[in-house]
Amino acid sequence: MSKPVLSCRDLTFRYQKEDVFRQLSFAIQPGEAVLLMGPSGCGKSSLAYCLAGLYPAYAGTLSGEILLEGKPLENYPLAQRARGVSILFQNPDDQFCMDRVDHEILFALENINYPGDLRARTRELLALVGLEDVEHHLIHTLSGGMKQKLALATALATEAKLLILDEPFANLDPGSCADLSVKLAQLNRQGLSLFVVDHRPDYWLPFLSRILLMDKTGNLLPESVFPEELQAHRELFRERGLFVDDSWLEGQSPAPLPQPEESMVQAKDLRLLQGKTTVAEHLSFDFPRGGITALVGRNGSGKTTLLTCLAGAGRCKGSLKVNGAAGLVFQNPRFQFLSLTVEDEVLTTLRALEPKAEEQALRQKARALLEEFDLLAWRKHSPYELSQGQQRRLALLAMLAGNRPLLLLDEPTYAQDERATQFIMELLRRRIDQGLTAVIATHDLALARCFANRIYLLEDGRMQLLSPEQLDQYAEERSHASCAL
């Protein structure tokens, strides 16, 4: 039997005074594609950082053994380790070192002393992920999905034997997911080993070797689940609140709009701007009061820019009328936290909403909300210590506590397990019954079809109202690449 590309034995990681996971042991064989699944906040990303050598160098304490091709990981010089194992972060903004797209990849190539033509290799990697048209763009001007693609290209630049991918499809549209899964499958067939952290198995199943399951306390199930056994283990996944497919959406349909219908947002001949660049123009639309309006479209099409304009924080020209105060939950919730603890983040909103209320009453209300969102145990922690999924729930909670009539959500369910996704959508539906209007930008087309009263496609600089049948056709067209496997 060949030597594992990476193995760990009795691995225990502690952050501050709490164990994140204890005594984990497993191995990844050359050419395997291994998927790690588990509830939000159970320690999946922390494990990925440990396997890449980032922890405990930058946080926490680690005991046990990690071997890269039979040699302790800590014994590798950094440049040599990068050729052995590379990682794509769940949040690509945490990964970038440079200001420009091509500079980011060139930086990675220079750090491994790449022997070939640096510029030619940079263009090759950008073409691989579909970013050849933004080679010289500033990274901060990219959409979340485009940043995700750039982070993948940078991780691939090291030519590592093992690539660790933490929620690599979280910010990507369905077409990009299908396209990149095909390319990752090709790289895997050529010998690249993959260790993937993801809440959804869909795009991995055609070439997946096996699935590791982690429970909410950080323990691994003793036996792997193989792709052909997935349906037989459906109950096991359901008990842990994990996705198998979209079957949880069966029977879901949009809540009826209040009658008579009224407008919450009206736009005519609107032009969206990012700096001096026009993102989209000649947009005319009418979002109804109450219910959910969904925005769908490819990465970089302008969905986030539009939400920012609706919140009054973006640049646009033309006629735009928003009938009520709006709250915005960012695609990257870390950009909107204001406080040092989870509890204070909620209290900041409550104090602004009820300036004359007694502090004890506000604290009781904050803790009740945190318990409802399954965040009470983290109330004394920094928001930045939470997992990406937990941060998203906290940002949503803080904005809902503000009691604004219009809530704008940028990818509200990404990085969430099935249980948390269902909770978020049921919570939105309850608040909508109480008078809330929600506008969500999402790449989850199945979710949009089942929950949204109106679905708008923003793509190629234009905006189009889609019927459910047109959305189905759009979804089929964008996912055709997955059949290439």
Side-chain angles (χ1 to χ4, degrees):
M1 187 174 180
S2 59
K3 183 186 298 182
V5 64
L6 186 140
S7 62
C8 61
R9 184 171 59 193
D10 296 331
L11 208 61
T12 297
F13 179 68
R14 170 169 288 197
Y15 187 77
Q16 293 183 352
K17 296 181 180 181
E18 298 177 10
D19 286 345
V20 178
F21 51 77
R22 293 184 302 277
Q23 295 185 316
L24 302 188
S25 299
F26 63 92
I28 302 166
Q29 301 300 327
E32 273 199 305
V34 178
L35 173 62
L36 174 66
M37 298 182 67
S40 297
C42 68
K44 301 184 300 295
S45 292
S46 295
L47 175 58
Y49 296 157
C50 290
L51 299 181
L54 299 176
Y55 287 171
Y58 294 100
T61 58
L62 182 69
S63 63
E65 183 179 58
I66 301 175
L67 301 179
L68 177 60
E69 295 191 306
K71 179 179 174 181
L73 187 65
E74 64 269 20
N75 291 355
Y76 283 83
L78 288 178
Q80 188 178 354
R81 187 178 74 194
R83 284 187 171 276
V85 58
S86 185
I87 185 170
L88 167 67
F89 289 8
Q90 185 179 102
N91 183 354
D93 285 303
D94 293 343
Q95 190 159 349
F96 299 133
C97 301
M98 309 301 287
D99 61 340
R100 213 169 76 176
V101 170
D102 56 338
H103 292 171
E104 185 68 25
I105 297 179
L106 287 167
F107 180 72
L109 293 172
E110 289 168 353
N111 272 279
I112 64 164
N113 299 313
Y114 182 75
D117 185 324
L118 297 180
R119 281 285 172 186
R121 180 57 176 159
T122 296
R123 287 190 288 270
E124 182 182 341
L125 288 164
L126 289 174
L128 180 70
V129 297
L131 291 181
E132 56 268 52
D133 293 338
V134 297
E135 180 180 354
H136 303 299
H137 286 215
L138 294 174
I139 293 174
H140 78 267
T141 66
L142 304 182
S143 70
M146 296 167 81
K147 288 179 180 178
Q148 198 94 5
K149 293 179 182 180
L150 175 59
L152 175 58
T154 306
L156 290 170
T158 66
E159 298 184 335
K161 296 177 181 178
L162 171 66
L163 181 59
I164 298 174
L165 302 165
D166 192 359
E167 296 281 354
F169 296 151
N171 291 310
L172 300 184
D173 61 76
S176 295
C177 291
D179 184 48
L180 286 180
S181 71
V182 170
K183 290 172 180 175
L184 286 168
Q186 292 170 346
L187 292 170
N188 178 243
R189 286 195 292 267
Q190 293 166 12
L192 176 65
S193 301
L194 299 173
F195 183 79
V196 182
V197 176
D198 206 329
H199 281 108
R200 289 182 172 271
D202 316 49
Y203 290 106
W204 307 105
L205 289 177
F207 63 100
L208 192 63
S209 303
R210 55 195 170 97
I211 302 170
L212 298 177
L213 287 180
M214 183 178 273
D215 66 21
K216 63 181 181 180
T217 63
N219 295 314
L220 283 178
L221 196 71
E223 300 296 330
S224 298
V225 175
F226 295 95
E228 62 272 17
E229 302 172 343
L230 188 59
Q231 294 303 323
H233 286 86
R234 180 180 288 274
E235 190 58 36
L236 179 66
F237 280 69
R238 182 177 290 113
E239 289 171 359
R240 286 161 171 75
L242 305 178
F243 284 106
V244 173
D245 47 35
D246 285 324
S247 59
W248 74 278
L249 290 170
E250 293 174 4
Q252 298 283 0
S253 60
L257 290 170
Q259 297 297 323
E261 282 193 25
E262 299 178 14
S263 296
M264 190 69 179
V265 179
Q266 293 173 301
K268 186 175 181 180
D269 200 25
L270 191 68
R271 180 154 63 107
L272 305 180
L273 299 168
Q274 191 174 82
K276 296 181 180 180
T277 303
T278 296
V279 177
E281 57 186 338
H282 306 306
L283 306 183
S284 296
F285 52 85
D286 189 327
F287 295 167
R289 184 183 297 276
I292 296 175
T293 295
L295 301 174
V296 301
R298 285 196 297 262
N299 294 119
S301 61
K303 300 185 298 297
T304 296
T305 304
L306 176 55
L307 290 182
T308 305
C309 290
L310 297 181
R315 293 190 62 221
C316 61
K317 293 186 177 181
S319 174
L320 177 62
K321 183 180 180 182
V322 180
N323 298 311
L328 173 62
V329 178
F330 293 8
Q331 188 176 84
N332 184 350
R334 300 182 65 169
F335 292 160
Q336 67 188 88
F337 294 139
L338 302 172
S339 305
L340 296 178
T341 70
V342 169
E343 185 175 27
D344 283 340
E345 188 67 28
V346 181
L347 283 169
T348 297
T349 303
L350 293 176
R351 288 169 183 146
L353 184 67
E354 306 176 55
K356 296 183 180 180
E358 293 184 2
E359 181 66 14
Q360 186 59 33
L362 292 179
R363 287 192 176 276
Q364 289 178 352
K365 188 172 183 178
R367 293 187 181 187
L369 288 168
L370 288 169
E371 185 172 22
E372 181 183 10
F373 278 66
D374 197 23
L375 292 172
L376 185 61
W378 296 85
R379 68 183 186 276
K380 297 302 181 184
H381 289 247
S382 164
Y384 303 100
E385 294 177 38
L386 303 181
S387 73
Q388 187 87 344
Q390 290 171 319
Q391 286 179 351
R392 181 152 299 278
R393 294 206 301 277
L394 175 60
L396 174 59
L397 165 56
M399 202 54 63
L400 281 172
N403 213 24
R404 292 174 175 85
L406 175 61
L407 187 62
L408 311 169
L409 301 129
D410 201 351
E411 296 294 341
T413 59
Y414 98 80
Q416 302 289 347
D417 56 41
E418 182 183 275
R419 182 176 289 132
T421 299
Q422 193 166 356
F423 167 79
I424 288 171
M425 298 312 298
E426 289 175 351
L427 176 70
L428 281 178
R429 180 165 278 173
R430 291 200 301 272
R431 297 301 174 93
I432 285 165
D433 289 342
Q434 298 168 10
L436 178 72
T437 300
V439 178
I440 65 173
T442 182
H443 291 308
D444 191 335
L445 303 184
L447 181 141
R449 195 190 196 289
C450 290
F451 283 94
N453 303 88
R454 299 282 190 277
I455 301 170
Y456 281 89
L457 172 64
L458 180 55
E459 203 163 88
D460 299 326
R462 297 172 296 173
M463 195 151 167
Q464 175 188 357
L465 179 63
L466 298 182
S467 67
E469 294 73 25
Q470 288 172 318
L471 179 68
D472 292 341
Q473 183 180 354
Y474 173 80
E476 186 174 347
E477 291 171 353
R478 291 301 180 270
S479 299
H480 75 280
S482 62
C483 298
L485 287 170

